[in-house]
Amino acid sequence: MSLNKDKVSEIASLAMLSLTDEQLKSNTKELNKIFDLFTELSQLNVDDVSPMTHPININQRLLEDKVVDKDKSKEFQAIAPKTKDRYYLVPKVIE
Amino acid sequence: MQNTIKSLANGLKNKEFSSVELTTDYLNFINKSDLNAFITITDELAISQAKAADQNIANNSFNILTGMPYAHKDIFCTKGVKTSAGSKMLDNFISPYNATVSDKLDNSGAVMLGKTNLDEFAMGSSNENSYYGAVKNPWNLNKTPGGSSGGSAAAVAGELSVFATGTDTGGSIRQPSSLCGITGIKPTYGLVSRYGMIAYASSFDQAGVMTKTAEDSAILLNLIAGFDEKDSTSVNRNNEDYLKTINDSIQGLTIGLPKEFFSDGLDDKVANKIMLAVKEFESMGLKVKDISLPHSNYAIPSYYIIASCECSSNLLRLDGVRYGHRCQDPKDLQDLYLRSRSEGFGDEVKRRIMVGTYALSAGYYDAYYLKAQKARRLISDDFQKAFQSVDVIMGPVSPTTAFDLASIHDSASMYLSDIYTLSVNLAGLPAMSVPAGFSQNLPVGLQLIGNHWSEAKLLNIAHKFQEQTNFHNQTPAKI
Amino acid sequence: MKWETIIGLEIHAQLNTKAKIFSSAATKFGEKPNSQACEVDIGFPGVLPVLNKQAVIKALKFGLAIEAKINKFNIFDRKNYFYPDLPKGYQISQLNFPIVSAGKIKIKVDDTTKIIGITRAHLEEDAGKLVHDMFNDYTAVDLNRAGTPLLEIVSEPDIRNAKEAVEYAKKIHSLVQYINICDGNMAEGSFRCDANVSIRIKGTNKFGTRTEIKNINSFKFLEKAIDFEVERQKCILEDGKKVVQETRLYDQVKNQTNSMRLKEEANDYRYFPDPDLLPVEISDSLLEQAKADLPELPEQKKIRFIKEIGLSEYDAEILTSQKSLADYFEALITNHKENPKLCVNWIIGELLYYLNKEQIEINQSPISAQDLSILIARIVDQTISGKIAKDVFKEMWLNKGSADEIIAIKGLKQITNENEINNIVDEIIANNPSQFDQLKSGNEKIIGFFVGQVMKATKGKANPKKVNQILREKLDLSKQ
């Protein structure tokens, strides 16, 4: 498994992370080392094994359709970076 | 003698001292300490909680935890109190709501001294990945306390609090407990609510406690365990009393020793302490059996792939829009996201996000994520098979004792130190670390692993061991 | 070259649960910004989703109504991407194991019936709303809508032209309201259609490159958008060029589709099963609950109206097109079982006319089924004539009172009293001797004149049958 700098740069973009040249270099090295730890997995034969998403064997509980009516927007927006007139603000998005 | 919940509760009950006095003492210790175990010290809150506790004790309406000072890992949301997850991203985050575990502690009358330091977003094994600096091991200030619950472990071992909360995703309660010589328990996945616990890897994360004794752990597990309807992964089952059977005889139980846990990477002296502990159990009448967990060597890839995938998604919500760090003067949406996230996250977190993003990306899902989930099934099945012939599995927690600060320089090498703890989280099993000796004046922890929902038995075994040994009573000199 | 159009529709129907799909905040439309976004909806660190039972039941109801395969176990997946209306940075949706699989629905275009396959329907959460024109330098984010349950309904590419597409969309639109899972309010965004359009040479098997058209908010625009897109693709292909696979937005002002900025194209959604949610098992009892909640479906109702009540296909079709209309009709005929046709005529002839004129729905009608029932009773018991009843209806519509009150106030009661009519007829005859002579001498048509005069004198209240009868008696008498 060999990840080159371009691939790492691509991954970073997908994850909305920007890396300096220095960080790109060091992370390329580190990520390759990490993925080397994973190569053993490729030798494992798991054709008829079912994947395990949860370590417990229960099904999803269903909640009754009830409204818990509490407008906490004031509290929530008190810690928000930028709000106005009850809205959260982000730089103008062009659609 | 140790300051345990049990002993201090008696003191409070008998009015030997007040909670305010006790709390003030601990706050003084914390202020003088340079372990860097705390991110936020909630002194005003603590005193007011202590005052209320003293009132309740005076009015004779109290329980064993009333007025008991504790340290809360800064990954649990605490309403009105800064909750940073050890990250610059949440340095300004005053949580507007309380985690379920936080609620339970508040309602018990215990006193919160502060929020403890941790590896950022619970990702790490040495508490060197925190925005707030590394934590020092109370046994040796040049060593790490382990991670990610390093601050909590240091607080308990360094006598800065009576007990602490922790979380364990791949060993983050057990490993620091082992390296700091305290007792830690990670419950079965689904026993304790995850609501309000900032998520790292959702199918592994579990809240637990770190204490001086198994008995204290049992007292706390009675408080925090239990069904929470706000958490879909919380299991609805009859509540247990973990103290009820703690004194039961453990004679005749069978211990399984996985040969894979005594591999090359294990330090000789640590191995030696573990074997001595096992001998101690044999002298108590337990049987020992060699077992195999054949897929153990897939634990590291399986865990790190799945955990990275889950965390890469869990951390997408940190985007500078509704809370947390936002970069200055973003010029457009893309800039807002890129800079806020790049400024807010530390290196290790960014790395794991990238690992997870790559492993889930188009074309790689089958080779990594899907395969890792299948390996998870095999690892879990290994344990189930083993538990058919043994009652408890024992082994080391960490391949070494506490290692030097700034000694492990790359992520991959750090991951290798989790080798004995990861498979437990993959299988969702309960496990403990119990003080089992010292090597060159540094603590060695013994790992106990049980089948699902066997916490009571594990605590029982640990308690019996602590009746026979004195390791858990040792303390480093007060710093 | 003969072109064939292939269309598939993706419909997002907002389920009308009280609370959101994964939290207990309310789902009402039009509330103050961010007043219905709880901590789970805002996506604070540490919050967790729990599944709303009614969202599941409503999805099951839809599955049953389209005779679909219900998947006993279904899984929620995370669809990961960045956008300000998506608080968690991922949308909880269903990818490989949706709650409902293959189903079908019948549509009628002109006189042809066609079956359109439905590939799947799955549950997911809606995103919040962005407002771009409120502030100069910023886009405003309102998360009230975030977490509202959606049922995404995907059709097979069985649709062959814009008209079929509209009929299909209308059928689904009517069905989701019928079974009470969605209010169908397109203006409020509770029912959204996207169209996937491609063309190929007739007779070939391979599908052409398709484009997805979004931002269609009425059936009229659905038809126009598809027609435009088909033409656009024809031009491209006939020029020898290739159609680009992309998402296009419909511009209803210019009636054209425009390429969307590649926001979604660049995305790799990195779907994986949501670890915070467990597999959803559809137990027999849950399915039974959904079945019990289903009303009689339009097809069955129509057949019952035809067979048991004796309506024509045409009348039954109209009355069962809307559940509220069918309910109104059934309430109306409770007391008029012997006069179903009369009831039908009053609904289709009068009521619908008034409703359409004022552009209101039947549940906003000022005349309830009970009110109309009484009016019809007065026709049946001959208190008033059918013609007078129309005037009464007009007054009732303007809230001037009940049928009986209006009849009394305006003195509209039909005159059936023989003596009264007798006197009036005598008076008319006395005032019109020459006409009566014509009548006597055999001019039958003059009867109409006399009936008309009597009706005029009684302001239409005289019972025409009785008038005729008395006139004839007087005629016979005079001949003696």
Side-chain angles (χ1 to χ4, degrees):
Chain A
M1 152 59 40
S2 210
L3 289 164
N4 61 25
K5 279 206 322 223
D6 286 336
K7 189 70 193 179
V8 175
S9 190
E10 217 182 279
I11 297 167
S13 291
L14 204 50
M16 277 298 174
L17 295 170
S18 72
L19 303 173
T20 62
D21 286 336
E22 188 59 55
Q23 288 172 326
L24 185 57
K25 219 166 102 188
S26 67
N27 273 303
T28 304
K29 229 178 19 190
E30 294 251 18
L31 286 177
N32 273 302
K33 272 208 196 138
I34 294 169
F35 276 91
D36 282 342
L37 288 177
F38 301 164
T39 51
E40 206 160 356
L41 203 57
S42 62
Q43 289 140 27
L44 189 57
N45 185 335
V46 281
D47 287 337
D48 35 327
V49 180
S50 65
M52 190 184 217
T53 304
H54 302 98
I56 45 171
N57 199 16
I58 62 172
N59 294 321
Q60 178 65 34
R61 194 174 8 103
L62 302 175
L63 204 60
E64 290 306 314
D65 185 24
K66 248 190 341 221
V67 170
V68 174
D69 244 326
K70 266 181 239 147
D71 177 2
K72 290 197 179 151
S73 52
K74 214 164 177 186
E75 280 177 64
F76 293 164
Q77 293 188 8
I79 59 164
K82 211 174 194 82
T83 60
K84 191 169 172 154
D85 299 342
R86 302 184 59 99
Y87 288 97
Y88 289 98
L89 296 185
V90 294
K92 198 56 150 232
V93 177
I94 310 152
E95 265 188 346
Chain B
M1 227 1 318
Q2 284 280 52
N3 282 334
T4 60
I5 295 173
K6 233 182 138 199
S7 61
L8 291 172
N10 265 323
L12 286 167
K13 188 170 76 175
N14 299 329
K15 314 272 189 343
E16 285 163 29
F17 44 81
S18 66
S19 175
V20 170
E21 286 168 343
L22 189 62
T23 301
T24 309
D25 279 350
Y26 276 106
L27 287 171
N28 286 336
F29 298 149
I30 293 169
N31 276 318
K32 292 206 210 105
S33 157
D34 58 359
L35 295 175
N36 198 26
F38 286 83
I39 292 172
T40 304
I41 302 165
T42 50
D43 35 6
E44 275 179 43
L45 176 65
I47 296 294
S48 80
Q49 284 179 333
K51 283 193 180 142
D54 283 334
Q55 263 290 47
N56 285 327
I57 294 172
N59 296 336
N60 222 12
S61 71
F62 60 97
N63 64 75
I64 195 169
L65 289 171
T66 308
M68 197 64 57
Y70 72 98
H72 204 18
K73 185 174 182 181
D74 205 11
I75 195 124
F76 291 98
C77 286
T78 41
K79 185 170 179 175
V81 175
K82 170 170 161 171
T83 302
S84 74
S87 180
K88 179 176 175 183
M89 191 52 109
L90 293 177
D91 180 47
N92 66 0
F93 181 65
I94 310 287
S95 180
Y97 78 106
N98 233 13
T100 298
V101 168
S102 303
D103 267 342
K104 291 189 173 199
L105 285 160
D106 284 347
N107 293 334
S108 74
V111 172
M112 186 171 80
L113 297 164
K115 308 294 287 296
T116 56
N117 205 344
L118 65 159
D119 279 304
E120 187 179 357
F121 287 106
M123 299 182 208
S125 312
S126 66
N127 217 137
E128 293 175 285
N129 293 331
S130 169
Y131 175 61
Y132 302 96
V135 175
K136 300 184 185 141
N137 190 316
W139 294 90
N140 183 326
L141 301 180
N142 294 317
K143 309 271 184 188
T144 80
S148 62
S149 312
S152 287
V156 176
E159 307 255 45
L160 303 179
S161 76
V162 183
F163 68 91
T165 57
T167 61
D168 191 310
T169 305
S172 292
I173 284 177
R174 291 162 287 152
Q175 188 249 28
S177 297
S178 170
L179 302 194
C180 289
I182 60 172
T183 303
I185 181 164
K186 172 204 122 28
T188 308
Y189 184 89
L191 182 66
V192 182
S193 168
R194 290 189 301 117
Y195 191 80
M197 209 171 96
I198 299 177
Y200 155 27
S202 316
S203 73
F204 298 135
D205 292 344
Q206 194 54 196
V209 290
M210 297 158 85
T211 59
K212 298 283 188 41
T213 65
E215 243 183 329
D216 279 3
S217 290
I219 292 168
L220 289 165
L221 199 59
N222 278 347
L223 174 71
I224 65 172
F227 175 65
D228 180 10
E229 72 162 17
K230 293 194 275 209
D231 174 3
S232 291
T233 58
S234 169
V235 178
N236 196 353
R237 55 191 295 273
N238 290 330
N239 285 336
E240 278 188 66
D241 177 355
Y242 298 101
L243 280 170
K244 198 155 106 168
T245 51
I246 207 166
N247 279 305
D248 284 1
S249 163
I250 58 172
Q251 243 191 50
L253 291 178
T254 308
I255 300 168
L257 293 180
K259 66 173 198 252
E260 292 81 8
F261 280 21
F262 294 88
S263 52
D264 288 340
L266 181 59
D267 178 284
D268 288 336
K269 301 198 187 64
V270 171
N272 185 253
K273 294 297 168 190
I274 301 298
M275 291 321 294
L276 282 173
V278 172
K279 279 233 145 38
E280 187 66 52
F281 279 110
E282 279 183 296
S283 77
M284 288 194 266
L286 283 80
K287 301 200 272 274
V288 178
K289 185 168 186 252
D290 284 328
I291 60 169
S292 172
L293 300 169
H295 296 95
S296 293
N297 56 323
Y298 299 109
I300 287 179
S302 179
Y303 170 85
Y304 276 102
I305 289 171
I306 297 173
S308 302
C309 289
E310 291 182 358
C311 89
S312 72
S313 177
N314 283 331
L315 296 183
L316 293 171
R317 66 188 66 197
L318 295 151
D319 56 11
V321 176
R322 291 144 289 122
Y323 53 84
H325 177 75
R326 176 187 278 216
C327 60
Q328 285 265 58
D329 304 319
K331 61 178 181 7
D332 57 32
L333 191 63
Q334 176 116 346
D335 186 35
L336 171 73
Y337 290 148
L338 279 172
R339 267 200 298 138
S340 301
R341 288 168 64 81
S342 306
E343 288 169 10
F345 291 133
D347 288 337
E348 181 60 32
V349 168
K350 282 188 183 135
R351 211 159 288 142
R352 295 199 198 189
I353 289 174
M354 286 192 281
V355 171
T357 304
Y358 183 65
L360 286 174
S361 66
Y364 297 99
Y365 181 93
D366 283 1
Y368 291 113
Y369 182 74
L370 188 60
K371 205 140 197 205
Q373 284 197 309
K374 293 184 173 196
R376 182 177 190 174
R377 168 94 49 206
L378 292 174
I379 289 168
S380 184
D381 288 347
D382 280 356
F383 277 108
Q384 289 310 305
K385 210 146 138 231
F387 283 121
Q388 281 170 11
S389 62
V390 303
D391 298 301
V392 61
I393 292 172
M394 292 193 191
V397 175
S398 167
T400 62
T401 53
F403 44 92
D404 286 345
L405 286 159
S407 64
I408 298 181
H409 301 291
D410 69 286
S411 303
S413 305
M414 189 68 84
Y415 299 168
L416 292 171
S417 61
D418 297 329
I419 191 159
Y420 305 125
T421 50
L422 301 174
S423 48
V424 166
N425 302 81
L426 285 161
L429 298 170
M432 289 184 70
S433 175
V434 175
F438 291 85
S439 167
Q440 291 164 323
N441 294 322
L442 291 169
V444 173
L446 169 72
Q447 184 169 205
L448 310 176
I449 305 169
N451 207 345
H452 294 115
W453 317 116
S454 66
E455 286 81 2
K457 194 189 292 177
L458 292 179
L459 288 161
N460 172 210
I461 293 170
H463 176 65
K464 284 296 174 189
F465 184 74
Q466 288 179 345
E467 276 182 339
Q468 297 289 112
T469 61
N470 220 15
F471 306 119
H472 59 288
N473 285 324
Q474 308 302 313
T475 51
K478 255 205 210 354
I479 315 285
Chain C
M1 264 194 264
K2 217 55 204 309
W3 293 105
E4 182 179 38
T5 305
I6 312 281
I7 300 165
L9 286 191
E10 263 171 43
I11 291 172
H12 286 88
Q14 243 179 28
L15 299 179
N16 59 0
T17 53
K18 298 197 204 94
K20 299 206 175 160
I21 187 172
F22 295 118
S23 81
S24 300
T27 55
K28 284 197 242 164
F29 179 84
E31 298 295 307
K32 276 187 280 179
N34 291 304
S35 60
Q36 282 178 168
C38 66
E39 61 212 28
V40 176
D41 301 325
I42 303 274
F44 283 116
V47 296
L48 294 170
V50 203
L51 183 56
N52 184 328
K53 188 180 191 177
Q54 271 305 311
V56 178
I57 289 181
K58 286 179 195 279
L60 292 174
K61 280 166 75 171
F62 182 78
L64 291 167
I66 60 165
E67 299 171 75
K69 173 172 187 289
I70 307 286
N71 291 318
K72 184 131 211 259
F73 282 97
N74 57 97
I75 309 277
F76 282 102
D77 299 290
R78 292 188 185 179
K79 178 180 181 182
N80 303 282
Y81 64 97
F82 282 96
Y83 209 56
D85 63 3
L86 197 65
K88 295 189 292 297
Y90 59 85
Q91 177 196 32
I92 301 178
S93 177
Q94 296 187 303
L95 185 68
N96 294 319
F97 298 95
I99 184 167
V100 166
S101 289
K104 60 183 189 283
I105 198 159
K106 235 194 296 192
I107 62 168
K108 201 167 181 177
V109 185
D110 299 326
D111 284 316
T112 334
T113 310
K114 183 170 173 176
I115 295 190
I116 305 292
I118 292 168
T119 317
R120 52 183 274 157
H122 71 255
L123 285 166
E124 56 183 30
E125 54 178 353
D126 209 345
K129 266 212 193 107
L130 299 183
V131 185
H132 302 290
D133 50 10
M134 183 160 291
F135 304 111
N136 277 331
D137 302 315
Y138 298 102
T139 285
V141 184
D142 174 11
L143 295 173
N144 276 351
R145 199 180 65 173
T148 306
L150 291 177
L151 187 67
E152 178 173 331
I153 303 162
V154 183
S155 82
E156 288 282 329
D158 292 343
I159 301 168
R160 289 289 168 271
N161 58 58
K163 275 199 156 51
E164 282 182 11
V166 169
E167 279 315 303
Y168 168 80
K170 280 187 172 168
K171 204 74 193 277
I172 301 283
H173 184 243
S174 157
L175 180 63
V176 297
Q177 292 175 82
Y178 218 99
I179 61 178
N180 190 24
I181 65 169
C182 171
D183 69 18
N185 190 328
M186 290 176 85
E188 288 181 359
S190 353
F191 191 85
R192 315 186 307 236
C193 296
D194 297 332
N196 286 306
V197 181
S198 70
I199 61 176
R200 68 180 177 195
I201 301 201
K202 217 165 186 169
T204 57
N205 272 329
K206 200 161 168 264
F207 284 137
T209 307
R210 67 163 200 247
T211 58
E212 185 182 11
I213 310 173
K214 285 174 126 67
N215 196 39
I216 300 165
N217 52 26
S218 79
F219 297 124
K220 180 174 92 180
F221 291 133
L222 177 62
E223 189 167 349
K224 285 176 163 237
I226 292 174
D227 284 337
F228 174 87
E229 183 60 18
V230 168
E231 279 315 303
R232 188 190 75 91
Q233 290 193 14
K234 274 195 193 151
C235 288
I236 291 175
L237 293 174
E238 278 170 1
D239 259 359
K241 303 206 185 83
K242 285 208 171 106
V243 172
V244 174
Q245 180 173 349
E246 58 181 351
T247 304
R248 300 178 68 83
L249 291 180
Y250 178 65
D251 179 337
Q252 63 193 53
V253 173
K254 297 197 186 132
N255 187 31
Q256 61 187 49
T257 63
N258 299 307
S259 181
M260 214 171 131
R261 271 157 155 265
L262 301 175
K263 135 182 135 161
E264 285 185 36
E265 260 51 71
N267 261 312
D268 175 353
Y269 295 121
R270 310 188 295 289
Y271 280 97
F272 73 105
D274 193 329
D276 290 329
L277 292 164
L278 298 159
V280 184
E281 183 191 13
I282 306 301
S283 63
D284 290 336
S285 71
L286 197 61
L287 205 53
E288 277 312 309
Q289 246 188 286
K291 266 197 198 132
D293 230 23
L294 268 182
E296 182 185 33
L297 295 176
E299 274 304 309
Q300 300 161 263
K301 204 186 283 288
K302 194 171 106 176
I303 292 170
R304 182 166 62 82
F305 279 9
I306 296 169
K307 289 219 173 100
E308 291 176 22
I309 302 176
L311 298 190
S312 70
E313 155 99 36
Y314 177 80
D315 289 342
E317 178 77 43
I318 295 180
L319 290 175
T320 58
S321 64
Q322 252 186 290
K323 183 162 182 295
S324 45
L325 193 54
D327 289 346
Y328 191 103
F329 172 68
E330 292 206 80
L332 190 58
I333 62 165
T334 327
N335 294 326
H336 297 293
K337 292 205 169 62
E338 315 80 47
N339 292 300
K341 188 65 186 167
L342 188 58
C343 296
V344 171
N345 290 340
W346 271 94
I347 291 180
I348 296 182
E350 294 297 306
L351 184 65
L352 284 184
Y353 167 76
Y354 277 82
L355 289 172
N356 279 329
K357 206 165 77 161
E358 262 171 62
Q359 295 275 301
I360 57 175
E361 296 299 317
I362 194 161
N363 50 8
Q364 296 165 284
S365 166
I367 301 177
S368 72
Q370 282 84 306
D371 297 336
L372 185 53
S373 180
I374 295 174
L375 180 62
I376 290 177
R378 292 297 161 266
I379 301 173
V380 173
D381 68 23
Q382 303 207 32
T383 305
I384 53 173
S385 66
K387 192 160 179 283
I388 295 279
K390 289 192 180 171
D391 296 333
V392 178
F393 188 92
K394 201 182 197 159
E395 296 295 296
M396 285 167 74
W397 185 266
L398 298 169
N399 281 309
K400 296 279 173 73
S402 71
D404 287 330
E405 284 166 359
I406 294 165
I407 291 169
I409 292 171
K410 298 212 141 188
L412 296 172
K413 222 170 152 162
Q414 206 167 219
I415 302 172
T416 49
N417 183 311
E418 298 232 4
N419 283 332
E420 230 187 303
I421 296 178
N422 206 24
N423 295 336
I424 295 169
V425 171
D426 281 343
E427 206 182 315
I428 302 287
I429 292 174
N431 290 335
N432 298 281
S434 56
Q435 283 89 335
F436 197 63
D437 282 337
Q438 285 182 50
L439 184 64
K440 269 202 291 199
S441 56
N443 188 347
E444 279 292 313
K445 287 202 205 122
I446 296 267
I447 278 264
F449 166 77
F450 279 101
V451 174
Q453 286 299 308
V454 174
M455 295 306 276
K456 197 159 139 201
T458 61
K459 297 204 175 61
K461 287 184 281 181
N463 184 320
K465 257 212 202 115
K466 275 261 177 316
V467 171
N468 246 296
Q469 180 200 320
I470 290 169
L471 265 169
R472 291 212 180 267
E473 281 170 11
K474 295 227 183 276
L475 188 60
D476 290 339
L477 264 173
S478 75
K479 282 190 181 156
Q480 283 164 12

